[in-house]
Structure formats: C-alpha cells, structure tokens
Amino acid sequence: MAYQGQRGLNPVGLGFAIAINGGLLAVAILTATTVVTRHDPWQPIEAVNVPIEPPPPPIDMPKPVEKALPDPAPVQPIFAPPAPIPAPGPVMTTTTVMPTALPPLDPVVAAPGGTGTGSPVTVASPLPILINASIDPRYRADFQPDYPAFERNQARDGVVVVRVLVGANGRVSAVEQVSATSDAFFDATKRRALSKWRFRPATRDGVAVESWREMTVRFTMEDR
C-alpha cells in the first residue's frame, strides 16, 4: 500500500486497498480454513489456520441375509399308475356254533294296572343260579371208610354207590344206597359219611341250601 505524505489519503490507493481486503475475505469464507481479523485498515493482516474436524466414521449397515429358495414342487405325472392287482390268498371259512337251547322260562303274568282295558303283560322270570355241593378239601383225607374186617379176611374188593343229603352246614344228614358189593361195605360207608364227610354246601343265588349228591367209594386190598 502507498501513502501520499501526511497531507491526506489518495482515493485510488484507498479503493485498491479495499478491493484487496474484500478479495481476501471472500477467499477465507469460501475455503472455511482461514479466519481474517482486521483491526485497522492500515495495519498488517494476520491469518490463523483453523483445523478441520475429520468426518465421522461410516455406519456399518447390516448385510442382507440370503434366503435359500424352496425346492421346486415335484412334477405330478399326467397319468396315474395302474392300481396293483391283488394276489390270490387262502380262502378263510368260519363255523358258527349255536349255543345249547336253554329250558323255557316259566312266564310270570303281571297284574294290569290303571284303568285301561289292555291284556296282561307276561314277563319271564330269570333262572336262579345254582351251584352244586362239593367236597371240602380240608377233609378229603377223611372220606375213605375203614375196611370191613370180614371182607378183608376174605381178601375181597368192593364198590359202593350212595346218595347223600348235604345240609346247608356241609354235613351229611342222610345216606341212601344205590348199589353195594355187600352190606358190610355199605355199612362202613354209611358210618363214615355221617361222621366224617364234610362238603361245601350247594347255593341258590349265593344262599346255602341242602342238596343231594351221589358218591362212589371203592375198597381195594392194595390200599391196605
């Protein structure tokens, strides 16, 4: 810059100085790297470097997930395969067994009720459940009678068939002869039946009742 003595300012030089300062200010604004501070138009200009902050690091974007494509659908045949022909197998036969006919039930005539004039209704009564008398296994060893002495001396075997009346308590209350090899064999059998024989009584619908039962007793010398 130039000065024209101490008398005054040169207008041309002043304009030239303003133009230069304006250009420097424009450059500082455009570059954003230099700050210009002007205290006095006639003093030297000082420039200060302003550091530029580095840009932020790039943001990691998630990578796209690759999805496997589904398997293509199987191609259906245009024509269905023929159905398999069944192989011949064995011929199965069944036999139906008819149950034994039950005895007819005694009809029970129910009295008509109400004031109607209909005929009486016949209702069949159920059969009672009967279980025959059986030998009490606790007394089975006591059923064989004593061998008659006369028959033993004669070395003779015998067979006795009797009918016994078994009471509700399992004891024998009566003995009837069906057949016997001799009276001695029958008498020995009758005495044993009345004193030692014990049975499980017969039952009718679960209630103990007396019943007749036929028994066969054998006498052999091999057992003596």
Side-chain angles (χ1 to χ4, degrees):
M1 291 184 298
Y3 294 92
Q4 191 179 0
Q6 298 180 353
R7 294 181 179 178
L9 296 176
N10 187 358
V12 177
L14 181 58
F16 183 72
I18 293 173
I20 292 175
N21 291 333
L24 294 176
L25 181 60
V27 172
I29 294 174
L30 292 177
T31 58
T33 58
T34 305
V35 177
V36 179
T37 304
R38 185 173 181 274
H39 300 283
D40 193 341
W42 307 115
Q43 293 182 355
I45 298 174
E46 295 180 0
V48 179
N49 293 329
V50 178
I52 300 176
E53 296 180 359
I59 301 174
D60 296 335
M61 299 298 293
K63 296 181 179 180
V65 179
E66 297 181 359
K67 296 183 179 180
L69 298 177
D71 297 335
V75 179
Q76 298 294 334
I78 299 177
F79 300 99
I85 301 175
V91 179
M92 304 299 294
T93 58
T94 57
T95 303
T96 302
V97 179
M98 300 300 295
T100 305
L102 297 176
L105 302 177
D106 296 333
V108 177
V109 179
T115 58
T117 60
S119 59
V121 179
T122 302
V123 180
S125 59
L127 291 176
I129 300 176
L130 299 176
I131 299 178
N132 295 328
S134 61
I135 297 175
D136 192 331
R138 296 174 298 177
Y139 302 92
R140 184 179 295 274
D142 298 334
F143 269 68
Q144 184 62 38
D146 295 331
Y147 213 98
F150 177 77
E151 300 295 346
R152 183 177 62 242
N153 294 334
Q154 297 295 324
R156 183 163 51 185
D157 296 339
V159 178
V160 179
V161 179
V162 294
R163 292 178 69 246
V164 294
L165 180 61
V166 180
N169 59 356
R171 292 177 174 270
V172 176
S173 59
V175 180
E176 293 182 357
Q177 177 180 337
V178 177
S179 63
T181 303
S182 68
D183 292 340
F185 285 128
F186 170 71
D187 291 340
T189 301
K190 181 178 180 179
R191 287 193 301 269
R192 174 67 63 159
L194 293 174
S195 61
K196 298 292 185 180
W197 286 7
R198 297 291 185 272
F199 293 85
R200 289 178 176 175
T203 58
R204 180 191 299 269
D205 291 336
V207 179
V209 295
E210 65 177 9
S211 63
W212 286 94
R213 179 184 172 92
E214 188 173 288
M215 300 290 293
T216 301
V217 180
R218 300 183 184 275
F219 295 84
T220 59
M221 294 297 295
E222 296 177 356
D223 297 338
R224 298 294 173 178

